[in-house]
Amino acid sequence: MKIQTNALRLITIQLLTFALVAFPASIRAQTHTISGYMTDAETGESLVASTVFEINSKKGAAGNAFGFYSLTLPPGSITVQYSYAGYEAQTLNLKLSHDTTINIRMKQNNVLQEVTVTANRANTGVQSVQIGAVEVPIAQIKAIPSILGENDLIKALQLLPGVQSGTEGFTGFYVRGGGPDENLFLLDGVPVYNINHLGGFFSVFNNDAIKSVTLYKGGFPARFGSRLSSVLDVRMNDGNNKKIHGNVSIGLISSRLNVEGPLGSEKTTFSISARRTYFDILMKPFVSSSNNTAGYYFYDLSGKLSHRISDKDRLYASFYMGDDVIYASSSDWGSIEKLGWNWGNMLAVGRWNHIINNKLFMNATATYTRYRFDMNLNNSSGSKADINSMSYKSGIHDYSAKLDFDYSLNPDNEIKFGADYIDHTFRPGIFTSNEEGSETVIGDKNISASELALYAEDNINLGRNIKANLGLRYSTFFVQDKYYGSLQPRLSLRALLADELSVKAAYGYMSQYIHLLSNNTVSLPTDLWVPVTKRITPMQSHQLSTGIFYNLNNLVDLSAEIYYKTMNNLIEYKEGASFLGSATGWEDKVAMGRGWAYGIELMAQKTIGKTTGWIGYTWSKSDRLFDRRGEELNFGRTFPAKYDRRHDINIVATHRFSKKIDLTATWVFSTGNSGTLPMHKMEIPDIPGSEHTQSSIDYIESRNNYRYPNYHRLDLGANFHKQTRLGLRTWSISIYNTYNHMNPFLIYPQEDWEYIPGPDGSSVRKSSIHLRQSTLFPIIPSISYTLSF
Amino acid sequence: MNKTIYTTAIPQTILHILPAIALIFAVISCEKDIEFNGSESSPKPVLNAFLSSGETVGIRLTESRFFLYPAVDEPFKPITDATVHLRNEAGQTIPLAHTGNGYYSTDYRPASNTRLNILATFPTGMADIESTTDIPAPPLLLPTHDSLSILIDTFIYNFSTIPAQINFKCENMNLSFIDPVQTTDYYRLLLTLRRTNSNGTITHSNIQFGSSDIVFGTKEDEILEETDKNRYKVFSDEIINGKEHTINLHWNYMTLLAESDSFGSSTYDLIVELQHITKDCYLYFKSLGAAQNPGDFGNLISEPVQVYTNVTNGIGIFAAYTSTKNTYRIASPEGKD
């Protein structure tokens, strides 16, 4: 306790220092502030990261995640332009003589988002300070063809430069050479710990419930932290406040439903989405009988309520629940055996938005998030006294409270600051056996940890063309009487060379206090989150990036970015180690080391006209070095990271032929993944005490020493729309891997035997070894039906 | 209701079925043979040698083979025409003579705390190989006083060929040793049951033992222990450097009474052997053990293991150890003759 008290005292002192440094005093001439919300005129949805821009002074501001904007200007005649991707820009002329509230309702250009304005995108456009971030319109994500017709947000983002997918068909997410646990997935601001359904074939994000998606790969603003490599900020729909609206979709393996609308008045809205697969129903005739039944399904259920109390206060409540379920039961001679596995996430968020004054916006959030894996096995012979059972439970849950402020200090300083406290509880895996009334519990105790972060960032105009985002984040972590603290500076700079051309640079220091114990090949539900310990210290990264951004005729956004990232205290399995869900002794099974990654990312994104999409190219390299005493991997020499690939090319193109038909094609090419192959076999000597009988063993000179064949595939999709009396119905037909290229999933040597006639007429066994390649996904056609009402 | 709380590892058999999810995909996937994308690796010389203080030096040289080489049933090709020399710190060069089938030896017996360098050259065009090792000092293994308590069970089968079974069981055995200060030391521990039959023949059997001692790092895993075929454990002094340390062991060994034998006619001795091994030897045993016990579903879930080598331009191990042994007579089992 004394240690904690001293640590808290230390934090308090540091925070005071931090606050003094973070808020520069600024004395300015008299100014007035225009503020308000920007919403969709048809649905009332708030518009995330919209833009407001005063044309004469060329001062602008970005709306926040809740559609609120605030722009402080000198008094006088002004011309203000409001813009947002996919919406018609609105221009207002007014004489600014006092603080003014203007709520803007933006009109979409058309419902299919044929036309968007890209140059003024608040978060990621040419004029923004942000580098290393990408926004992808939800409409584009929905149009991308996918396996079994199941559009998936994560798989769409895997098509972006700098993002690698890992294993084909899975939702693995490797950003700029980072690991799978170095990504912060936020759903309405709440971390989602396991984004996978069905071992990673599908993600938990239901596109019908999503309003916006922004991926940060670098240049992280100070408001984000706790992961090294990326932040995926997903925002859910608030709900249409004009009329009930929704859609129903029926696919080969799942169906989805989304309904949203006003509750009583425009002040209150709701949005509910649900999705369920029906593998279990389709497979029932094949796996079930009168005595036995078995199945698998997953579902998602999400909802959001929003209520406008007044012009200054809004309340939001949102939740998400999703589970994967495996069940089986069999009965025989009065004995019944039941098996049940459940794993999934649950999130709940309560949020209060309050406009303190025209310059100061507050967002107070309370959240709960948990991921859990439960397995139960029961055996009974009919009577209650004769029940034997086993169960295994693991997971993590967090309670969190967060305060964020947006403060428009003056025309040249937009400040964000806030604090975030998370109470973590790690459940590392408890096995319980109940046999004939005797209960046995095996496993480690729950581990509690506290994480506190404070941040401040300032968007500063430094002259007419130079803009900077200066930020500082201070985070602390308490676990098992151990205190870690980290001061993380962030800096982004933008120099506007012309209205449509800018260069940007950024530096960011990140620190991460939790690890995922997982193998890198597939995502298993037993993958465990564990906190740092006295031995396993926090991961850290430094990232430098720079880039040039150009908007071509307001049609195409062109960008070229270069990054260099170093990572320290990374963990990897020691050779031969695997976890399979047991956290016991995990510190002994991992090695700590460092890594570095660098690369070039080129992107051309077009979101205007009948043809939209992007072309992305990445050249990258990612290495690891584990050379600490007793923790050497690859004999303490540098080796390529698991998904180190030199070239990635992604082309996504959607063409709208008419209001009735649009086609999408996706072509993906990448250098093959690297794998480890033993190039030699060697003799092993007789060793006293060893009862191994084999005389040879594989010799591996270097980790990840073999490059798999190149990966490429073409996916095609077509959507056929028709307005019916029930609503807009869409038939979607897609073909995954259209030219049926056998892409490698796994390559391994396989030994075959055959008997051939010997010289004396007897048969002689002859062996041969081949290199064998497994492919997961050949050509896969699919179809789905959607009705929007 | 009884409630017991243990903190040992979770019986992993419960969770072993989980990777079946991954395996399902592998099973249902499309498979085909592909060409190896690269050039075939030339054979490398493989040197295997474990030197010991006071013992004559013997090594073996063979050729490695490319992993897709089809003749996996064939023994590795011995290198019979190499020129092999040892060189000690005094500058003395000792030639090793080929004694057949790739074995080379000399009568030279290195003493403890000697550094030896080996150089082998080949007329066939393979690069010269070289390695160095130190002969360690004997470890300071202390006598196992009166803590040794071995339970003996006998089971009479009355089969003509297997008349009986004898179980030796020790649930609590303490072994103490003193680790030298200021040096990083590595050890290998073996338990051997020596049986002297009535006709004078002697057999040695290595005993598999378990331990949760901190020197072995990872907590004891009962499942792995069952499948591990190594009847030894290696460890370093990282945690106990310069201290006297006591390792607690448990073991259970079963043997069969031979047809021609009877209870009381054979004598049994337990030999506790602590080897002071070189770091190279330690790394080799650790990596070899991990490679031979790849765990769940082979290397599909876990990373493949690189077997350690300290041979420049070649593969294999050139290492050394020095043993200290304590021998304990076990009471003769009693049974019905």
Side-chain angles (χ1 to χ4, degrees), chain A residues 283-338:
Chain A
M283 295 300 288
K284 199 168 186 176
F286 306 103
V287 297
S288 298
S289 65
S290 58
N291 293 330
N292 303 309
T293 183
Y296 164 83
Y297 66 90
F298 71 76
Y299 72 89
D300 296 300
L301 187 62
S302 59
K304 192 166 184 178
L305 269 177
S306 68
H307 178 66
R308 182 160 53 87
I309 301 169
S310 67
D311 282 344
K312 290 192 170 182
D313 294 281
R314 294 180 185 210
L315 288 178
Y316 301 88
S318 51
F319 75 95
Y320 166 85
M321 198 165 92
D323 272 319
D324 288 54
V325 180
I326 293 176
Y327 61 90
S329 69
S330 69
S331 58
D332 195 16
W333 300 102
S335 168
I336 301 170
E337 283 190 358
K338 286 184 178 175

Coordinates of all heavy atoms in Angstrom, one line a residue, chain A residues 283-338:
Chain A
M283 N -26.3 -27.9 -40.8 CA -25.6 -29.2 -40.6 C -26.4 -30.2 -39.7 O -25.9 -31.3 -39.6 CB -24.2 -28.9 -39.9 CG -23.3 -28.0 -40.7 SD -22.8 -28.8 -42.2 CE -21.8 -30.2 -41.6
K284 N -27.5 -29.8 -39.2 CA -28.2 -30.6 -38.3 C -28.5 -32.0 -38.9 O -28.4 -33.0 -38.2 CB -29.5 -29.9 -37.8 CG -30.1 -30.5 -36.6 CD -31.2 -29.6 -36.0 CE -31.7 -30.2 -34.7 NZ -32.7 -29.3 -34.1
P285 N -29.0 -32.1 -40.1 CA -29.3 -33.4 -40.6 C -28.1 -34.3 -40.7 O -28.2 -35.6 -40.7 CB -29.8 -33.1 -42.1 CG -30.2 -31.7 -42.1 CD -29.3 -31.0 -41.1
F286 N -26.9 -33.7 -40.7 CA -25.7 -34.6 -40.9 C -25.1 -35.0 -39.6 O -24.4 -35.9 -39.5 CB -24.7 -33.8 -41.8 CG -25.2 -33.3 -43.1 CD1 -25.6 -32.0 -43.3 CD2 -25.4 -34.3 -44.1 CE1 -26.1 -31.6 -44.5 CE2 -25.9 -33.8 -45.3 CZ -26.3 -32.5 -45.5
V287 N -25.3 -34.1 -38.6 CA -24.5 -34.4 -37.3 C -25.5 -34.8 -36.2 O -25.0 -35.2 -35.1 CB -23.7 -33.2 -36.9 CG1 -22.6 -32.9 -37.9 CG2 -24.6 -32.0 -36.6
S288 N -26.8 -34.7 -36.3 CA -27.7 -35.0 -35.2 C -28.5 -36.2 -35.5 O -28.8 -36.6 -36.6 CB -28.6 -33.8 -35.0 OG -27.9 -32.6 -34.7
S289 N -28.8 -36.9 -34.4 CA -29.7 -38.1 -34.5 C -30.6 -38.0 -33.3 O -30.6 -37.0 -32.5 CB -28.9 -39.4 -34.5 OG -28.2 -39.5 -33.3
S290 N -31.4 -39.0 -33.1 CA -32.3 -39.0 -31.9 C -31.5 -38.9 -30.6 O -32.0 -38.4 -29.6 CB -33.2 -40.2 -31.9 OG -32.4 -41.4 -31.9
N291 N -30.3 -39.5 -30.5 CA -29.6 -39.5 -29.3 C -28.5 -38.4 -29.2 O -28.0 -38.1 -28.1 CB -28.9 -40.9 -29.1 CG -29.9 -41.9 -28.8 OD1 -31.0 -41.6 -28.3 ND2 -29.6 -43.1 -29.3
N292 N -28.0 -38.0 -30.4 CA -26.9 -37.0 -30.4 C -27.3 -35.7 -31.1 O -28.0 -35.8 -32.1 CB -25.7 -37.7 -31.1 CG -25.3 -39.0 -30.5 OD1 -25.1 -39.1 -29.3 ND2 -25.2 -40.0 -31.3
T293 N -26.7 -34.7 -30.7 CA -26.8 -33.4 -31.4 C -25.6 -32.6 -31.2 O -24.9 -32.7 -30.2 CB -28.1 -32.6 -30.9 OG1 -28.2 -31.5 -31.7 CG2 -28.0 -32.3 -29.5
A294 N -25.2 -31.8 -32.2 CA -24.0 -31.0 -32.1 C -24.2 -29.8 -33.0 O -24.9 -29.9 -34.0 CB -22.8 -31.7 -32.4
G295 N -23.6 -28.7 -32.8 CA -23.7 -27.6 -33.7 C -22.8 -26.4 -33.3 O -22.2 -26.4 -32.2
Y296 N -22.7 -25.5 -34.2 CA -21.9 -24.3 -33.9 C -22.6 -23.1 -34.5 O -23.2 -23.2 -35.6 CB -20.5 -24.4 -34.5 CG -19.8 -23.0 -34.6 CD1 -19.2 -22.5 -33.5 CD2 -19.9 -22.2 -35.8 CE1 -18.6 -21.2 -33.6 CE2 -19.4 -21.0 -35.8 CZ -18.7 -20.5 -34.7 OH -18.2 -19.2 -34.8
Y297 N -22.7 -22.0 -33.8 CA -23.2 -20.7 -34.4 C -22.5 -19.6 -33.7 O -21.9 -19.7 -32.6 CB -24.7 -20.6 -34.3 CG -25.2 -20.5 -32.9 CD1 -25.4 -19.3 -32.2 CD2 -25.5 -21.7 -32.1 CE1 -25.9 -19.2 -31.0 CE2 -26.0 -21.6 -30.8 CZ -26.2 -20.4 -30.3 OH -26.6 -20.3 -29.0
F298 N -22.6 -18.4 -34.3 CA -22.2 -17.2 -33.6 C -23.3 -16.1 -33.8 O -24.0 -16.2 -34.8 CB -20.8 -16.7 -33.9 CG -20.6 -16.1 -35.3 CD1 -21.1 -14.8 -35.6 CD2 -20.0 -16.8 -36.3 CE1 -20.9 -14.2 -36.8 CE2 -19.8 -16.2 -37.5 CZ -20.2 -14.9 -37.8
Y299 N -23.4 -15.2 -32.9 CA -24.3 -14.1 -33.1 C -23.7 -12.8 -32.6 O -22.8 -12.8 -31.8 CB -25.6 -14.5 -32.3 CG -25.5 -14.3 -30.8 CD1 -25.7 -13.1 -30.1 CD2 -25.1 -15.4 -30.0 CE1 -25.6 -13.0 -28.8 CE2 -24.9 -15.3 -28.7 CZ -25.2 -14.1 -28.0 OH -25.0 -14.0 -26.7
D300 N -24.3 -11.7 -33.0 CA -24.0 -10.4 -32.5 C -25.3 -9.7 -32.3 O -26.2 -9.8 -33.0 CB -23.2 -9.6 -33.6 CG -21.9 -10.2 -34.0 OD1 -21.1 -10.3 -33.1 OD2 -21.7 -10.5 -35.2
L301 N -25.3 -8.9 -31.2 CA -26.4 -8.1 -30.9 C -25.9 -6.8 -30.5 O -25.1 -6.7 -29.5 CB -27.3 -8.7 -29.8 CG -28.6 -8.1 -29.5 CD1 -29.5 -8.1 -30.7 CD2 -29.2 -8.9 -28.3
S302 N -26.3 -5.7 -31.1 CA -25.8 -4.4 -30.7 C -26.9 -3.4 -30.8 O -27.9 -3.6 -31.5 CB -24.6 -3.9 -31.6 OG -25.0 -3.8 -32.9
G303 N -26.8 -2.4 -29.9 CA -27.9 -1.4 -29.9 C -27.3 -0.1 -29.4 O -26.3 0.0 -28.7
K304 N -28.1 1.0 -29.7 CA -27.7 2.3 -29.2 C -28.9 3.1 -29.0 O -29.9 3.1 -29.8 CB -26.8 2.9 -30.2 CG -26.1 4.2 -29.7 CD -24.9 4.6 -30.7 CE -24.2 5.7 -30.2 NZ -23.0 6.1 -31.1
L305 N -28.9 3.8 -27.9 CA -30.0 4.8 -27.6 C -29.4 6.1 -27.5 O -28.3 6.3 -26.8 CB -30.6 4.4 -26.3 CG -31.9 3.5 -26.2 CD1 -32.3 3.3 -24.8 CD2 -33.0 4.1 -27.0
S306 N -30.0 7.2 -28.1 CA -29.4 8.5 -27.9 C -30.6 9.4 -27.5 O -31.7 9.2 -28.0 CB -28.7 9.0 -29.1 OG -29.5 9.2 -30.1
H307 N -30.3 10.3 -26.7 CA -31.4 11.3 -26.2 C -30.8 12.7 -26.1 O -29.8 12.9 -25.4 CB -32.0 10.8 -24.9 CG -33.0 11.7 -24.4 ND1 -34.2 11.9 -25.0 CD2 -33.1 12.5 -23.3 CE1 -35.0 12.7 -24.3 NE2 -34.3 13.2 -23.3
R308 N -31.5 13.6 -26.8 CA -31.1 15.0 -26.7 C -31.9 15.6 -25.6 O -33.1 15.9 -25.7 CB -31.3 15.7 -28.0 CG -30.9 17.1 -28.1 CD -30.7 17.6 -29.5 NE -31.9 17.4 -30.3 CZ -32.9 18.2 -30.5 NH1 -32.9 19.3 -29.8 NH2 -33.9 17.9 -31.3
I309 N -31.2 15.9 -24.5 CA -31.9 16.5 -23.3 C -32.1 18.0 -23.6 O -33.2 18.5 -23.4 CB -31.0 16.4 -22.0 CG1 -30.8 14.9 -21.7 CG2 -31.7 17.1 -20.9 CD1 -29.7 14.7 -20.7
S310 N -31.1 18.6 -24.2 CA -31.3 20.1 -24.5 C -30.2 20.3 -25.6 O -29.5 19.4 -26.0 CB -30.9 20.9 -23.3 OG -29.6 20.8 -22.9
D311 N -30.1 21.6 -26.0 CA -29.1 21.9 -27.0 C -27.7 21.6 -26.5 O -26.8 21.5 -27.3 CB -29.3 23.4 -27.5 CG -30.4 23.5 -28.4 OD1 -30.9 22.5 -29.0 OD2 -30.9 24.7 -28.6
K312 N -27.6 21.6 -25.2 CA -26.3 21.5 -24.6 C -26.0 20.1 -24.1 O -24.8 19.8 -23.8 CB -26.1 22.5 -23.5 CG -26.0 23.9 -24.0 CD -25.5 24.8 -22.8 CE -25.2 26.2 -23.4 NZ -24.7 27.1 -22.3
D313 N -27.0 19.3 -24.0 CA -26.7 18.0 -23.3 C -27.3 16.8 -24.1 O -28.5 16.9 -24.5 CB -27.4 18.0 -21.9 CG -26.7 18.9 -21.0 OD1 -25.6 18.6 -20.5 OD2 -27.2 20.0 -20.8
R314 N -26.5 15.8 -24.3 CA -27.0 14.6 -25.0 C -26.5 13.4 -24.2 O -25.4 13.4 -23.6 CB -26.5 14.5 -26.4 CG -27.0 15.6 -27.3 CD -26.5 15.6 -28.7 NE -26.9 16.7 -29.4 CZ -27.2 16.8 -30.7 NH1 -27.0 15.7 -31.4 NH2 -27.6 17.8 -31.3
L315 N -27.4 12.4 -24.2 CA -27.0 11.1 -23.5 C -27.0 10.0 -24.5 O -27.9 10.0 -25.5 CB -28.1 10.8 -22.4 CG -28.1 11.7 -21.2 CD1 -29.2 11.2 -20.2 CD2 -26.7 11.6 -20.5
Y316 N -26.1 9.1 -24.4 CA -26.0 7.9 -25.2 C -25.8 6.7 -24.4 O -25.2 6.8 -23.4 CB -24.8 8.0 -26.2 CG -24.8 9.2 -27.1 CD1 -24.2 10.4 -26.7 CD2 -25.3 9.1 -28.4 CE1 -24.1 11.5 -27.5 CE2 -25.2 10.2 -29.2 CZ -24.6 11.4 -28.8 OH -24.6 12.5 -29.6
A317 N -26.4 5.6 -24.8 CA -26.2 4.4 -24.2 C -26.1 3.3 -25.3 O -26.9 3.3 -26.2 CB -27.3 4.0 -23.2
S318 N -25.0 2.6 -25.3 CA -24.8 1.6 -26.4 C -24.3 0.3 -25.8 O -23.7 0.3 -24.7 CB -24.0 2.1 -27.5 OG -22.8 2.6 -27.0
F319 N -24.6 -0.7 -26.4 CA -24.1 -2.0 -26.0 C -23.8 -2.9 -27.2 O -24.3 -2.7 -28.3 CB -25.1 -2.7 -25.1 CG -26.3 -3.3 -25.8 CD1 -26.3 -4.7 -26.2 CD2 -27.4 -2.5 -26.1 CE1 -27.3 -5.2 -26.9 CE2 -28.4 -3.1 -26.8 CZ -28.4 -4.4 -27.2
Y320 N -23.0 -3.9 -26.9 CA -22.7 -4.9 -27.9 C -22.5 -6.2 -27.1 O -22.0 -6.3 -26.1 CB -21.4 -4.6 -28.7 CG -20.9 -5.9 -29.4 CD1 -21.4 -6.1 -30.7 CD2 -20.0 -6.8 -28.8 CE1 -21.0 -7.3 -31.4 CE2 -19.7 -7.9 -29.5 CZ -20.1 -8.2 -30.8 OH -19.8 -9.3 -31.4
M321 N -23.1 -7.3 -27.7 CA -22.9 -8.6 -27.2 C -22.8 -9.6 -28.3 O -23.5 -9.5 -29.3 CB -24.1 -9.0 -26.3 CG -23.9 -10.1 -25.4 SD -25.2 -10.2 -24.2 CE -26.3 -11.3 -25.0
G322 N -21.8 -10.4 -28.3 CA -21.6 -11.4 -29.3 C -20.9 -12.6 -28.8 O -20.0 -12.5 -27.9
D323 N -21.3 -13.8 -29.2 CA -20.8 -15.0 -28.7 C -20.6 -16.0 -29.8 O -21.4 -16.0 -30.8 CB -21.7 -15.7 -27.7 CG -21.4 -15.2 -26.3 OD1 -20.2 -15.0 -25.9 OD2 -22.4 -14.9 -25.5
D324 N -19.6 -16.8 -29.7 CA -19.5 -18.0 -30.5 C -19.9 -19.2 -29.6 O -19.6 -19.2 -28.4 CB -18.1 -18.3 -31.0 CG -17.6 -17.3 -32.0 OD1 -17.7 -16.1 -31.8 OD2 -17.2 -17.8 -33.1
V325 N -20.7 -20.1 -30.1 CA -21.2 -21.2 -29.3 C -21.0 -22.5 -30.0 O -21.4 -22.7 -31.2 CB -22.8 -21.0 -29.0 CG1 -23.3 -22.1 -28.2 CG2 -23.0 -19.6 -28.4
I326 N -20.4 -23.4 -29.3 CA -20.4 -24.8 -29.7 C -21.1 -25.7 -28.7 O -20.9 -25.5 -27.5 CB -18.9 -25.3 -29.8 CG1 -18.1 -24.6 -30.9 CG2 -18.8 -26.8 -30.1 CD1 -16.7 -24.9 -31.0
Y327 N -22.0 -26.5 -29.2 CA -22.7 -27.4 -28.3 C -22.8 -28.8 -28.8 O -22.7 -29.0 -30.0 CB -24.1 -26.8 -28.0 CG -25.0 -26.8 -29.3 CD1 -25.8 -27.8 -29.7 CD2 -25.0 -25.6 -30.1 CE1 -26.5 -27.8 -30.8 CE2 -25.7 -25.6 -31.2 CZ -26.5 -26.6 -31.6 OH -27.2 -26.6 -32.7
A328 N -22.8 -29.7 -27.9 CA -23.0 -31.1 -28.3 C -23.6 -31.9 -27.1 O -23.3 -31.6 -26.0 CB -21.6 -31.7 -28.7
S329 N -24.4 -32.8 -27.4 CA -24.9 -33.7 -26.4 C -25.2 -35.1 -26.9 O -25.5 -35.2 -28.1 CB -26.2 -33.1 -25.7 OG -27.2 -33.2 -26.7
S330 N -25.0 -36.0 -26.1 CA -25.3 -37.4 -26.5 C -25.9 -38.1 -25.3 O -25.6 -37.9 -24.1 CB -24.1 -38.1 -27.0 OG -23.2 -38.3 -25.9
S331 N -26.8 -39.0 -25.6 CA -27.4 -39.8 -24.5 C -27.4 -41.3 -24.9 O -27.6 -41.6 -26.1 CB -28.9 -39.4 -24.3 OG -29.6 -39.5 -25.5
D332 N -27.1 -42.1 -23.9 CA -27.0 -43.5 -24.2 C -27.2 -44.2 -22.9 O -26.6 -44.0 -21.8 CB -25.5 -43.8 -24.7 CG -25.4 -45.1 -25.3 OD1 -26.5 -45.7 -25.6 OD2 -24.3 -45.6 -25.5
W333 N -28.1 -45.1 -22.9 CA -28.5 -46.0 -21.7 C -28.7 -45.1 -20.4 O -28.1 -45.4 -19.4 CB -27.3 -47.0 -21.4 CG -27.1 -47.9 -22.6 CD1 -26.2 -47.9 -23.5 CD2 -28.0 -49.0 -23.0 NE1 -26.3 -48.9 -24.5 CE2 -27.4 -49.6 -24.1 CE3 -29.1 -49.6 -22.4 CZ2 -28.0 -50.7 -24.8 CZ3 -29.7 -50.7 -23.0 CH2 -29.1 -51.3 -24.2
G334 N -29.4 -44.1 -20.6 CA -29.8 -43.2 -19.4 C -28.7 -42.3 -19.0 O -28.9 -41.4 -18.2
S335 N -27.5 -42.3 -19.7 CA -26.5 -41.4 -19.3 C -26.5 -40.3 -20.4 O -26.6 -40.5 -21.6 CB -25.1 -42.1 -19.4 OG -24.1 -41.2 -19.3
I336 N -26.4 -39.0 -19.9 CA -26.4 -37.9 -20.8 C -25.1 -37.1 -20.7 O -24.7 -36.8 -19.5 CB -27.6 -36.9 -20.5 CG1 -28.9 -37.7 -20.6 CG2 -27.6 -35.7 -21.4 CD1 -30.1 -37.0 -20.0
E337 N -24.5 -36.9 -21.8 CA -23.2 -36.0 -21.8 C -23.5 -34.8 -22.5 O -24.1 -34.8 -23.6 CB -22.1 -36.8 -22.5 CG -21.5 -37.8 -21.6 CD -20.2 -38.4 -22.2 OE1 -19.8 -38.0 -23.3 OE2 -19.6 -39.2 -21.5
K338 N -23.1 -33.6 -22.0 CA -23.4 -32.4 -22.6 C -22.1 -31.6 -22.6 O -21.4 -31.5 -21.6 CB -24.4 -31.5 -21.9 CG -25.8 -32.1 -22.1 CD -26.8 -31.2 -21.4 CE -28.2 -31.7 -21.7 NZ -29.2 -30.9 -21.0

